[in-house]
Amino acid sequence: MAGFVSEFKEFISRGNVMDMAVGVVVGGAFGSIVTSLVDDIIGPIIGAITGGIDFSKLAITIGSANIMVGSFIQAIINFLIIALCIFSVIKAFNKAKDLKNGPQEEAAPTTKICPFCQSEISIAATRCPHCTSELK
C-alpha cells in the first residue's frame, strides 16, 4: 500500500498533471463560451437564413418519445467549433516552437546502398555483408 501511495504522490507532483488540470478547467470554460456562441449567435443566424427555424426546439416525435434533433445539431456545431479552435491553437503553438528551435539539420546518414546487390548496409562497411563484394 505504501508503494501505491508514494507512486500516487510522484504522479501528482509532476508538472504535467497540473497543466492537464488547468487545461480541463479552461476547456470547460471555453466549452460554455462556444455553447453560448452557437445558441445565441450562430443558431439565430441559421434560423434567419432558413426562414425562422429554431434548431434548438427541432424535434421528431415517435409515439410518446421526443427525439431532440436540434439539440444534437447544436452539439455537433459546438464540437466542430471547439475542434477548430483547438486545431488552430495547436498549429500556432507548433509553429512558434519551430520558430524558437530554428531550422532542423538533417542527421548524417548511417547507412548506404551496396552498388552490387542494392542492400542497405552500414556507411562504414568496406565489404557488403549480403553479397560479400568489396566496396570503395
Side-chain angles (χ1 to χ4, degrees):
M1 184 68 178
F4 178 79
V5 171
S6 65
E7 192 175 335
F8 181 71
K9 284 181 184 177
E10 180 184 340
F11 172 75
I12 289 298
S13 66
R14 290 185 193 153
N16 58 356
V17 172
M18 295 306 293
D19 293 341
M20 183 177 63
V22 169
V24 168
V25 171
V26 170
F30 184 71
S32 65
I33 291 170
V34 171
T35 300
S36 175
L37 173 70
V38 171
D39 292 345
D40 302 331
I41 297 173
I42 295 175
I45 291 172
I46 291 174
I49 292 171
T50 60
I53 296 174
D54 183 7
F55 280 110
S56 65
K57 295 182 176 91
L58 184 63
I60 298 172
T61 304
I62 300 175
S64 62
N66 284 336
I67 300 171
M68 303 302 293
V69 177
S71 297
F72 182 68
I73 291 171
Q74 285 183 322
I76 290 172
I77 293 171
N78 287 355
F79 170 76
L80 292 174
I81 291 171
I82 290 171
L84 177 66
C85 291
I86 290 172
F87 172 76
S88 300
V89 167
I90 290 173
K91 187 170 180 167
F93 176 76
N94 287 340
K95 184 169 181 130
K97 188 170 77 171
D98 290 344
L99 289 174
K100 179 183 173 191
N101 293 340
Q104 298 292 326
E105 293 182 23
E106 290 187 30
T110 58
T111 61
K112 62 183 176 182
I113 302 295
C114 173
F116 301 102
C117 69
Q118 301 298 309
S119 298
E120 188 172 355
I121 58 175
S122 171
I123 198 143
T126 57
R127 186 178 290 271
C128 178
H130 302 286
C131 68
T132 68
S133 299
E134 286 191 44
L135 307 169
K136 298 177 186 176

